[in-house]
Amino acid sequence: MNNKKAHWIIWSFTIAVFALVIILHEMPGAESAPAFTAFQPMLHAIINGTCFILLLASLFAVKSKNIPLHKGLNTLAMILSLVFLLSYVVYHHFTGDTSYGGDYRGLYLFILLTHIPLAGLSLPFILYAYYFGMTNQIGQHKTLVRYTYPVWLYVTLTGVLVYVFLAPYYGA
């Protein structure tokens, strides 16, 4: 695949994800949620936590010059992120949003209001970093990862924290 085709795919996918999220918030919710949705918030936290660990392990692998392991860990993190995205869309279609009712509202809102835009805005950059790494365009990969990696790490960690804050309120 050449860079022009990759550019088109990355931006098409990014626009499709943004459109899906916007449509999700504008669509009327389902009348009832299937039973499996009760387990999805915890699944999302597990996926985010696993991606966080995979990203740390990936950093260790590249620092140890184990490039095949580095690529494999990043591929697994990408696959899990796609599974997360699909599950997240399904969950929110059936359940809508969950409101936080606890005592740490300011902290929760800070985490949530940094998590959401960083998750969305980082998507094309994560995809580019992955593409550059997999196609051995190491200069571009390193330049992009310098900024993208800490953001992706933050998004995966705060995804777990959002779950921890909201866990008592799911299904309430």
Side-chain angles (χ1 to χ4, degrees):
M1 179 176 353
N2 62 32
N3 284 350
K4 188 174 184 175
K5 185 175 180 182
H7 179 75
W8 188 87
I9 290 170
I10 288 168
W11 283 107
S12 296
F13 182 77
T14 299
I15 290 166
V17 168
F18 287 165
L20 186 60
V21 170
I22 290 168
I23 290 167
L24 173 70
H25 281 282
E26 297 301 320
M27 283 179 53
E31 289 186 27
S32 64
F36 71 83
T37 59
F39 303 102
Q40 283 181 287
M42 182 179 288
L43 172 66
H44 298 157
I46 291 168
I47 291 172
N48 272 311
T50 302
C51 284
F52 180 82
I53 292 166
L54 288 170
L55 291 171
L56 290 176
S58 174
L59 177 63
F60 180 76
V62 79
K63 295 286 185 186
S64 301
K65 309 244 186 275
N66 189 340
I67 303 308
L69 179 60
H70 174 70
K71 286 182 174 184
L73 292 168
N74 284 321
T75 297
L76 186 53
M78 293 293 284
I79 291 167
L80 285 175
S81 294
L82 181 59
V83 170
F84 168 85
L85 177 63
L86 294 172
S87 180
Y88 176 87
V89 168
V90 168
Y91 176 78
H92 282 280
H93 170 70
F94 285 112
T95 66
D97 293 331
T98 301
S99 296
Y100 176 71
D103 295 331
Y104 302 100
R105 186 163 180 75
L107 179 59
Y108 166 75
L109 287 174
F110 174 79
I111 291 170
L112 183 67
L113 295 175
T114 56
H115 171 82
I116 291 172
L118 287 174
L121 294 173
S122 66
L123 176 60
F125 301 104
I126 291 168
L127 295 172
Y128 272 112
Y130 181 76
Y131 168 72
F132 289 144
M134 289 307 207
T135 57
N136 294 318
Q137 298 178 59
I138 304 307
Q140 295 96 320
H141 176 72
K142 283 183 177 181
T143 299
L144 202 48
V145 167
R146 180 175 298 126
Y147 304 102
T148 304
Y149 175 81
V151 173
W152 194 8
L153 203 58
Y154 177 83
V155 167
T156 58
L157 178 62
T158 55
V160 174
L161 293 176
V162 167
Y163 169 77
V164 170
F165 274 102
L166 290 178
Y169 307 103
Y170 288 117

